Amino acid sequence: ENAALADELQATLKQVEHQATTDALTGQLNRRALDALLHRCVGEAEHRSFRFSILMLDIDHFKRINDTHGHPVGDQALRAVAARVSAQLRAGDSCARYGGEEFFVLLPGASLAQACEIAERIRAALSHGALATNPPLVVTASVGVAEYTRGMQVEGVLAAADGAVYVAKRSGRNQVRSAGEAEI
């Protein structure tokens, strides 16, 4: 009887942990889980020879989807975008819904150039063909890329990727920009 209770408790704890780290809508990691992973990566990068990059992806004109088709279709679009992004990732990469229509991707071991290639692959996959939504929707995304450099805090690498997204948006959307890249 105690063994059965212990097994049930263990299963419940795993379920609670999953719920605490997963975005309920998309099934991707949530912001809390992303922050924990980033802190772990920064710690490894500071103490060992470890590099990583991040992508911030913002779906272009997402408000129009909700305003035109309603929030249930917007939710379908978010799930479909998450699936397309995840399909482009390497083993060991992590995707997280950061909030609203923003996603972050953590790319362990990736240089800025490698991260830009992955970001471009994701951007192209999103804009190529309609999403599995009802009605089918074509979306684009602006993607910002940043590589962690020694001494940066988590907030710094997030801000660098966020700044690159704004450059992509101001430069016409549906493009990849890297941190520190001049605006057109």
Side-chain angles (χ1 to χ4, degrees), residues 26-184:
T26 63
Q28 301 301 311
L29 296 176
N30 63 20
R31 188 172 181 162
R32 176 184 305 154
L34 174 70
D35 287 343
L37 274 174
L38 282 172
H39 279 93
R40 203 169 328 145
C41 285
V42 166
E44 285 187 47
E46 287 297 313
H47 295 95
R48 298 181 336 171
S49 179
F50 177 77
R51 74 179 340 163
F52 70 92
S53 293
I54 64 168
L55 314 177
M56 181 182 183
L57 179 146
D58 190 285
I59 301 170
D60 295 327
H61 305 295
F62 186 75
K63 185 177 181 325
R64 282 190 204 158
I65 293 171
N66 283 335
D67 290 350
T68 303
H69 303 286
H71 290 278
V73 174
D75 289 350
Q76 289 176 28
L78 289 170
R79 285 190 291 272
V81 165
R84 280 211 188 159
V85 169
S86 294
Q88 300 303 314
L89 300 182
R90 310 166 303 168
D93 294 344
S94 300
C95 178
R97 182 170 175 220
Y98 200 64
E101 70 277 7
E102 297 173 335
F103 293 84
F104 268 93
V105 176
L106 177 62
L107 304 168
S111 67
L112 186 65
Q114 291 167 323
C116 285
E117 289 174 12
I118 294 166
E120 180 55 34
R121 194 169 65 226
I122 291 168
R123 187 210 58 77
L126 286 174
S127 63
H128 182 75
L131 298 174
T133 56
N134 186 15
L137 301 171
V138 175
V139 300
T140 61
S142 299
V143 186
V145 184
E147 182 178 8
Y148 174 82
T149 56
R150 194 177 268 297
M152 272 182 138
Q153 299 296 313
V154 167
E155 297 77 18
V157 72
L158 290 172
D162 188 49
V165 166
Y166 282 101
V167 171
K169 286 193 170 293
R170 285 192 304 263
S171 300
R173 302 180 192 267
N174 191 28
Q175 56 188 277
V176 173
R177 290 303 182 101
S178 60
E181 188 176 352
E183 188 171 348
I184 294 177

